[in-house]
Amino acid sequence: MNIADSPDMQPRLMKALRAHARGGPEQLVYEDAPLPPPPTGSDVCARVTAAAVTFDELTWPETWESDGVDRTPIIPSHEFAGVVFAVGPDVHDYSIGDQVFGLVPFDQDGAAAEVVRLPAANLARKPANVSDVVAAAAVLPALTAMEAVEEHLRLESGQRLLIRGGTGAVGSFLIQFAHRAGIAVTAIVRSRDAVEVVERLGAREVLVGDEPDEVAPASFDASIDSVGAGTPEWLYRAVRPRGRVITLQEAPDAALAEAFDVDAQFFVVSPDAEHLDRLAALLSDGGIEVAVAQTYPLSEGRAAYTDRGRAGRLGKTVLEVPTSSE
């Protein structure tokens, strides 16, 4: 790694995974790239040790532009763990050498690189008993699930929640956080092989299939689609009048929401230090289960995105970033 130990971070090159043009994994190149500028204000720079992959991020507008301005070349992967090695003058909660994990804003360069720069408010201290790979894998899906359960679904203990995609990265955390809140979870999975997994995570009932017949109309207090775009009609139909439907990939269908008299909402996770600190405590205590499907070295980042988890294992794909001594 061509990064000096001096605060001015000279010479100013690092290894990174970058895309110089919009597209899919075929655009990603492992190459030398400029270091982020030294942190100012409340920003920090961290040496990245692990960066988790969200496959669909290459389709997000925020990946490629900020306020309508093209950002290419871009660095993907916004969930990471690493070590602080430079702080802005307004940063008082972190010092050089602190082990941290966090979420880089989606319209900034991500963490598929040796160094990342981000606001200190998007960080938390990584527990010493939690691996860098596990911490990176948990950040985005766990924060999304935490925010969904606590701020958007607004369910009380004993109420019923239908989750589409119970074995996905977000879905597995939705089950766990909802179960911890006393919510009765029904999870929908595609394979019978996944039933035991989601039951262990806390699902009270598991339905198998893309359009399970067992979902009765108006039988749930809320539903959430953690699979992706194209939320099916039955996920609206399953919710009682004036119940809630949450989508995570695209805005809900207003016509379906009106037809079934439900409150349908879409949100993008908003990381903050409090949520990250709570996640750190849960990870340290073993209070939640984190699945890691596979790891790749940063140099094989293009292959990681191309694979899209086709190995069939549950959990996140994580890029491991070697230190200068490796």
Side-chain angles (χ1 to χ4, degrees):
M1 179 164 60
N2 298 322
I3 301 174
D5 292 329
S6 58
D8 62 2
M9 300 188 297
Q10 298 292 338
R12 304 187 59 75
L13 286 177
M14 65 178 179
K15 288 294 186 181
L17 186 68
R18 297 204 296 175
H20 292 260
R22 295 189 185 214
E26 76 282 354
Q27 298 292 346
L28 295 172
V29 181
Y30 177 68
E31 62 185 3
D32 287 331
L35 278 165
T40 58
S42 59
D43 281 357
V44 306
C45 280
R47 300 177 189 270
V48 179
T49 53
V53 169
T54 298
F55 298 116
D56 287 339
E57 69 181 295
L58 297 181
T59 69
W60 299 345
E62 297 89 347
T63 297
W64 304 101
E65 61 186 49
S66 179
D67 294 329
V69 178
D70 184 87
R71 296 200 307 107
T72 55
I74 61 95
I75 298 174
S77 181
H78 292 76
E79 316 146 67
F80 84 101
V83 180
V84 173
F85 83 103
V87 300
D90 298 331
V91 175
H92 306 293
D93 295 331
Y94 296 100
S95 302
I96 294 172
D98 285 346
Q99 296 186 34
V100 295
F101 72 122
L103 185 63
V104 185
F106 298 124
D107 61 353
Q108 296 182 18
D109 277 340
E114 291 180 311
V115 173
V116 67
R117 174 176 167 168
L118 74 162
N122 288 39
L123 287 174
R125 284 180 172 79
K126 185 188 73 67
N129 64 335
V130 177
S131 75
D132 294 347
V133 167
V134 166
V139 175
L140 182 56
L143 288 180
T144 301
M146 184 185 295
E147 185 173 332
V149 170
E150 296 180 358
E151 300 179 19
H152 298 280
L153 288 168
R154 302 176 191 170
L155 295 177
E156 298 178 357
S157 179
Q159 290 190 295
R160 300 189 69 202
L161 171 64
L162 178 64
I163 298 175
R164 181 184 181 223
T167 58
V170 175
S172 63
F173 284 107
L174 282 168
I175 293 171
Q176 293 180 80
F177 282 113
H179 176 67
R180 291 173 63 88
I183 297 166
V185 173
T186 295
I188 297 174
V189 299
R190 292 182 177 178
S191 168
R192 294 195 179 279
D193 295 339
V195 171
E196 183 178 344
V197 174
V198 295
E199 286 180 340
R200 184 182 71 246
L201 295 176
R204 182 175 298 183
E205 179 183 24
V206 184
L207 306 179
V208 180
D210 290 331
E211 296 189 28
D213 297 331
E214 301 94 328
V215 179
S219 57
F220 290 87
D221 297 290
S223 67
I224 185 165
D225 187 358
S226 69
V227 172
T231 300
E233 178 181 310
W234 55 262
L235 211 63
Y236 293 84
R237 186 173 61 245
V239 176
R240 62 170 172 78
R242 292 172 294 283
R244 183 156 296 188
V245 175
I246 302 295
T247 61
L248 300 177
Q249 295 291 335
E250 64 180 9
D253 188 313
L256 287 176
E258 182 177 2
F260 293 103
D261 189 22
V262 296
D263 178 13
Q265 296 185 5
F266 163 78
F267 80 95
V268 176
V269 67
S270 302
D272 61 55
E274 179 185 352
H275 284 172
L276 283 163
D277 285 339
R278 288 173 54 204
L279 176 57
L282 286 170
L283 292 172
S284 180
D285 295 341
I288 52 175
E289 183 175 323
V290 182
V292 177
Q294 52 194 336
T295 61
Y296 287 78
L298 177 62
S299 59
E300 297 179 16
R302 179 174 175 175
Y305 276 86
T306 301
D307 179 74
R308 288 192 66 89
R310 291 191 182 94
R313 293 184 291 272
L314 303 180
K316 294 283 284 186
T317 294
V318 180
L319 305 176
E320 295 186 281
V321 184
T323 64
S324 57
S325 60
E326 294 179 325

